[in-house]
Amino acid sequence: MSAEPDALQAALPETAAGLLGQMLLNAGMIGGADLERALTLQSRIGGRLGSVLMRIGALSEDNLLQTLQAQLELPLMGADLPAPDEDAVRIAAALAPAGLEWLLDLQALRWSVDDVLYCAARDPLQPSLREALRHALPGRAIQYCLCRAQDLERMLDALAQRGGLDGHDGSDVQHLREMAEEAPVVELVNNLMAQAVEQRASDIHIEPEERQFAVRFRIDGVLHSRLQLPRDRFDAVASRLKLISGMDIAERRLPQDGRMSTRVGGQEMDIRVSALPGVHGESMVMRLLPKERKELRLERLGFEADHLAMMRGWTAEANGIVLVTGPTGSGKSTTLYGALAAANDGFKKIITVEDPVEFQLPAITQIQAHPEIGLNFANALRSILRQDPDVIMIGEIRDLETAQIAVQAALTGHLVLSTLHTNDAISAFTRLIDMGVEPFLVATPIRAVQAQRLVRRLCSCARSGHVPAHLQADAERFAQSVLPGQAPAWKEATGCAQCLNTGYRGRLGIYEMIPVSEQMQHLIVSGASVNDMKALARSEGHRFLRDDGLLKAWQGLTTVEEVLRVTGS
């Protein structure tokens, strides 16, 4: 994608070209199976090794450029030397041997800095480019360089717009389909996904604006801007995503959802794609789900010892409802999967109904809801009960009908695990009553409710820090019982290359866990306020999200600032 790696190899001695695969193997950037697969594909379709490795998702552009820098000893634009501004490139283009059209056809940039002429291209070693520059500038030294494809595309698009060479309005569906299959678009999309995987992003957001479109990665729950490209490229990128995720490429007025399985950056990934029409075009969001995950166990999720014991006790119940609450993206599904793993002792029939099925678990029957054909949560639950299950997991209680069937299942000897969208644990009771469930049917079957959020985990570069006295006092109140004898280890974020200078790397959960006692049942049935129920929970010794977050900060796992950001305190 940048200096087309394989075209570079064409200009090198055969022994040097053969070094690329070995160098990538030695650096651990690809595996032997990836190289063998790429060589087999290369023998069938042609092209160059680096390009083929990128196309099959075995290698990212950044890793390829790093290896090519070492092999070819060429600088990288934007890293080893500053990227030129648009005016410098435009002026140099006007002086090119055959003008702007010639540079656009060769996919090349040229510019001068302090009498040094630089040239960056998709293939900076192609003979026609070098011969033309030697002829136009006899005796002039030229520094050829590598560049990232996204930088090259952005500059070339800006030049084309200034020159009035790109007048297509993007309305022709056949034209969009053709653009979606072009190599630069394919490589741009593949490279965006590879970069996201390397940076541990959970989502890629592609957001069109009037004159450009932005690409942002969600890393550890926070969005980071990564790229801005001219708006003219957006239709091709969006069409490419629709094409590979099974959406209707011609439909741009209605929301669409798609999914695909592919290999990205050497990992097998499931990717869910969402398209949402907006004023300037469709907002595209890709959710990245690695197929290979660490074992889903409650111990990995950040529970303190007392909370872990409570959750294990709840999943061992013979019947009742356990609710996990929180907003979208707070890790509810992961917690439920961990609870299912804890409940799965090999002697129970466990069935789930989800939309979508995110993780596939062994020895558990998982049902994918399909509302468009009538298989919603409520209808699936009716059929599930005929399968004689012991444990039922419902992806989400969204309506009264689903809530009523869940209550009836819990009252007839089944353990029901489910999620609910509320701000805190106590609000789950009022949410169900607002749906239309009778208060006594809320109080009787529910065993416990849990709320959760995800906070960013500090990177190893963190340093000791200080917090206000009142927050230390709040944390100490629970630390004495939960972490007896443990001294506080308050820390603050700094930032390093490993954490992309954010100070954080990874996430862990903070929890609010409220068992339903007899006193709580009485308040629910009597229609007490949320504040009254919170006061009872506090008097019974339970801590809320902010309290649990401060305990995590006490241990040096996260920062107080991160806890306050997530809990809104």
Side-chain angles (χ1 to χ4, degrees):
M1 269 184 61
S2 54
E4 179 91 18
D6 313 301
L8 296 180
Q9 294 172 52
L12 297 173
E14 184 175 347
T15 53
L19 284 175
L20 179 63
Q22 190 61 50
M23 291 175 72
L24 291 169
L25 278 175
N26 293 343
M29 295 178 181
I30 61 172
D34 292 326
L35 180 58
E36 184 177 349
R37 180 184 170 202
L39 290 172
T40 302
L41 186 61
Q42 182 188 34
S43 67
R44 294 207 312 264
I45 66 174
R48 307 296 183 179
L49 181 60
S51 180
V52 174
L53 283 167
M54 288 178 58
R55 280 178 172 269
I56 66 174
L59 183 67
S60 71
E61 183 186 36
D62 285 344
N63 283 341
L64 181 59
L65 287 173
Q66 179 183 336
T67 307
L68 287 172
Q69 280 182 276
Q71 182 187 25
L72 305 178
E73 298 183 350
L74 293 179
L76 175 62
M77 186 184 83
D80 301 319
L81 55 92
D85 59 53
E86 184 181 322
D87 289 337
V89 174
R90 181 171 51 83
I91 292 171
L95 301 175
L100 175 60
E101 295 88 343
W102 179 77
L103 283 177
L104 292 175
D105 184 57
L106 289 174
Q107 296 281 283
L109 301 173
R110 49 172 270 177
W111 70 97
S112 297
V113 178
D114 297 332
D115 294 329
V116 177
L117 180 64
Y118 293 92
C119 179
R122 189 173 296 278
D123 178 4
L125 297 185
Q126 59 180 303
S128 59
L129 173 66
R130 294 199 162 209
E131 180 62 31
L133 289 177
R134 275 197 299 266
H135 179 74
L137 302 165
R140 180 77 180 271
I142 302 173
Q143 174 63 66
Y144 294 92
C145 56
L146 303 168
C147 67
R148 294 181 176 85
Q150 59 198 36
D151 296 333
L152 180 66
E153 292 289 340
R154 184 180 68 252
M155 298 296 290
L156 290 175
D157 280 336
L159 288 178
Q161 288 179 353
R162 285 290 188 93
L165 300 178
D166 190 359
H168 200 281
D169 61 5
S171 60
D172 181 6
V173 173
Q174 181 59 35
H175 179 70
L176 289 175
R177 188 179 294 275
E178 292 172 357
M179 285 197 302
E181 296 287 3
E182 291 178 353
V185 176
V186 173
E187 292 183 358
L188 174 60
V189 170
N190 287 352
N191 192 49
L192 285 178
M193 292 190 291
Q195 287 183 17
V197 170
E198 284 188 353
Q199 297 178 22
R200 302 176 298 104
S202 59
D203 304 84
I204 303 173
H205 294 247
I206 302 177
E207 303 161 334
E209 301 171 6
E210 185 175 2
R211 301 182 184 279
Q212 59 190 15
F213 70 94
V215 178
R216 299 196 289 172
F217 294 167
R218 187 178 294 280
I219 303 173
D220 295 333
V222 178
L223 282 172
H224 298 268
S225 295
R226 283 292 176 263
L227 177 65
Q228 287 193 335
L229 290 172
R231 177 62 178 77
D232 290 347
R233 287 288 177 186
F234 174 77
D235 291 328
V237 172
S239 298
R240 176 65 187 171
L241 291 176
K242 289 181 179 180
L243 197 64
I244 61 180
S245 61
M247 296 189 204
D248 182 356
I249 198 172
E251 180 56 73
R252 285 184 279 179
R253 298 171 300 171
L254 296 174
Q256 293 190 77
D257 294 304
R259 65 187 311 157
M260 58 178 155
S261 294
T262 186
R263 187 171 178 83
V264 181
Q267 295 187 48
E268 295 295 332
M269 304 288 292
D270 283 326
I271 301 177
R272 296 207 307 266
V273 185
S274 171
L276 183 68
V279 174
H280 299 298
E282 294 168 290
S283 171
M284 309 292 295
V285 177
M286 291 180 278
R287 169 66 58 87
L288 308 177
L289 299 169
K291 287 187 176 181
E292 295 182 7
R293 297 181 177 86
K294 294 180 180 178
E295 186 180 355
L296 291 168
R297 293 188 299 164
L298 294 174
E299 294 87 344
R300 296 180 179 270
L301 304 183
F303 286 103
E304 299 298 342
D306 59 335
H307 279 175
L308 182 60
M310 291 170 70
M311 178 58 83
R312 289 195 177 282
W314 297 344
T315 57
E317 293 278 355
N319 56 69
I321 298 176
V322 177
L323 293 175
V324 178
T325 72
T328 301
S330 59
K332 299 187 300 297
S333 296
T334 302
T335 298
L336 281 184
Y337 284 124
L340 287 177
N344 189 12
D345 57 6
F347 300 99
K348 296 175 181 175
K349 173 77 170 182
I350 301 177
I351 304 180
T352 76
V353 54
E354 308 166 60
D355 186 18
V357 174
E358 293 189 8
F359 309 144
Q360 296 183 17
L361 302 176
I364 292 177
T365 302
Q366 295 175 268
I367 300 171
Q368 169 69 57
H370 291 287
E372 65 276 8
I373 60 172
L375 185 60
N376 55 25
F377 285 149
N379 291 336
L381 277 174
R382 292 191 185 92
S383 300
I384 286 174
L385 292 175
R386 302 189 193 106
Q387 293 273 313
D388 188 29
D390 297 293
V391 180
I392 301 170
M393 193 269 269
I394 307 168
E396 181 187 346
I397 295 179
R398 298 175 178 173
D399 50 50
L400 175 59
E401 188 177 14
T402 304
Q404 288 175 331
I405 298 174
V407 167
Q408 293 302 319
L411 291 174
T412 55
H414 305 87
L415 177 62
V416 178
L417 308 177
S418 189
T419 71
L420 205 60
H421 281 88
T422 62
N423 287 329
D424 53 51
I426 298 294
S427 297
F429 305 129
T430 55
R431 175 81 177 100
L432 290 172
I433 293 172
D434 289 342
M435 282 185 184
V437 182
E438 293 292 338
F440 74 92
L441 289 178
V442 173
T444 303
I446 295 182
R447 295 285 178 264
V449 289
Q450 171 197 308
Q452 68 179 69
R453 300 289 189 277
L454 295 176
V455 296
R456 291 181 291 174
R457 186 188 294 270
L458 278 168
C459 178
S460 58
C461 64
R463 63 189 177 196
S464 298
H466 301 282
V467 301
H470 70 281
L471 293 176
Q472 291 190 44
D474 289 346
E476 188 172 1
R477 192 174 51 190
F478 288 99
Q480 291 175 349
S481 58
V482 179
L483 305 167
Q486 182 170 333
W490 306 105
K491 291 185 179 180
E492 62 183 28
T494 54
C496 65
Q498 187 178 19
C499 61
L500 304 177
N501 291 314
T502 63
Y504 300 93
R505 185 175 176 83
R507 290 191 289 177
L508 74 159
I510 58 175
Y511 302 95
E512 182 176 296
M513 306 183 71
I514 312 295
V516 180
S517 61
E518 289 186 11
Q519 294 89 337
M520 187 66 74
Q521 287 180 330
H522 175 72
L523 290 182
I524 296 171
V525 173
S526 63
S529 68
V530 170
N531 287 336
D532 289 339
M533 288 187 273
K534 285 184 176 180
L536 173 62
R538 176 71 81 187
S539 69
E540 292 176 340
H542 304 301
R543 59 185 182 274
F544 299 140
L545 288 169
R546 177 178 177 272
D547 305 320
D548 198 53
L550 289 177
L551 278 183
K552 302 295 193 298
W554 170 286
Q555 300 171 73
L557 300 176
T558 187
T559 62
V560 168
E561 292 78 13
E562 177 70 3
V563 172
L564 298 182
R565 179 187 71 85
V566 170
T567 60
S569 303

